[in-house]
């Protein structure tokens, strides 16, 4: 199977924009355009669907900082951290699946719509960050 590197780059940009809209700008209306109505959250620590992730974001003010984004096919893997909100910083890895919905543009032709790229599922893995001073490593 041939990889579509341009589509993978678009998927990565979409997921980074979706995370920024939701977690950093807290622009819920903009963020909702990025999540599918059928969104599946695979983390037991976060409630199901869009309502679950929205409840999480509304319950605490955290900033998301991305360190690494990788894309292959319909998957985007993000490694970053959530900080602030009076809680310990946590390192996270999110495995996100992006779906491209198609629309008919002519006889037997299908093309993606710009607004049709949506986050459809996410696995969220988190760990508390413990920082050690050099002297404590002896």
């Amino acid at each position: 199977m041939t990889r579509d590197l341009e589509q993978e780059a678009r998927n990565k940009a979409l997921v980074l924009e979706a995370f920024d809209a939701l977690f950093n700008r807290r622009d819920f209306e903009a963020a909702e355009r990025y999540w599918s109505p059928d969104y599946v959250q695979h983390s037991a620590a976060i409630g199901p669907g869009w309502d679950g992730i929205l409840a999480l974001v509304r319950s605490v003010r955290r900033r998301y900082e991305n360190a690494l984004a990788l894309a292959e096919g319909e998957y985007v893997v993000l490694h970053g951290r959530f900080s602030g909100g009076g809680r310990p910083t946590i390192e996270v890895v999110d495995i996100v699946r992006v779906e491209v919905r198609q629309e008919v543009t002519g006889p037997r032709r299908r093309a993606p719509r710009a607004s049709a790229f949506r986050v459809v599922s996410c696995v969220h893995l988190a760990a508390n960050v413990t920082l050690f001073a050099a002297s404590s490593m002896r």
Side-chain angles (χ1 to χ4, degrees):
M1 185 164 104
T2 304
R3 288 180 60 185
D4 184 344
L5 299 179
E6 290 179 10
Q7 182 60 54
E8 290 174 358
R10 285 191 296 271
N11 289 350
K12 186 166 46 171
L14 171 115
V15 172
L16 288 169
E17 170 58 25
F19 271 55
D20 186 57
L22 182 61
F23 297 109
N24 296 335
R25 297 193 321 259
R26 299 176 67 85
D27 184 344
F28 302 125
E29 186 177 318
E32 188 173 17
R33 290 191 301 259
Y34 295 108
W35 268 265
S36 169
D38 304 319
Y39 173 73
V40 176
Q41 175 58 255
H42 295 285
S43 174
I46 301 171
W50 169 248
D51 291 338
I53 198 165
L54 194 56
L56 171 74
V57 173
R58 285 184 169 154
S59 71
V60 64
R61 191 167 190 89
R62 310 280 322 242
R63 176 151 184 81
Y64 177 74
E65 303 166 69
N66 182 262
L68 178 67
L70 306 169
E72 185 167 335
E74 62 186 9
Y75 292 95
V76 177
V77 178
L78 300 179
H79 173 253
R81 70 179 65 197
F82 285 97
S83 59
R87 294 183 174 195
T89 297
I90 58 170
E91 293 281 334
V92 296
V93 173
D94 289 287
I95 304 169
V96 179
R97 188 168 71 84
V98 176
E99 182 177 84
V100 179
R101 305 231 173 143
Q102 303 288 324
E103 72 175 2
V104 176
T105 58
R108 298 186 193 170
R109 291 179 50 209
R110 298 176 77 75
R113 296 175 300 177
S115 62
F117 300 94
R118 294 232 170 143
V119 173
V120 293
S121 67
C122 180
V123 175
H124 177 81
L125 310 168
N128 286 334
V129 175
T130 304
L131 301 175
F132 295 97
S135 62
S136 68
M137 297 297 287
R138 293 181 200 176

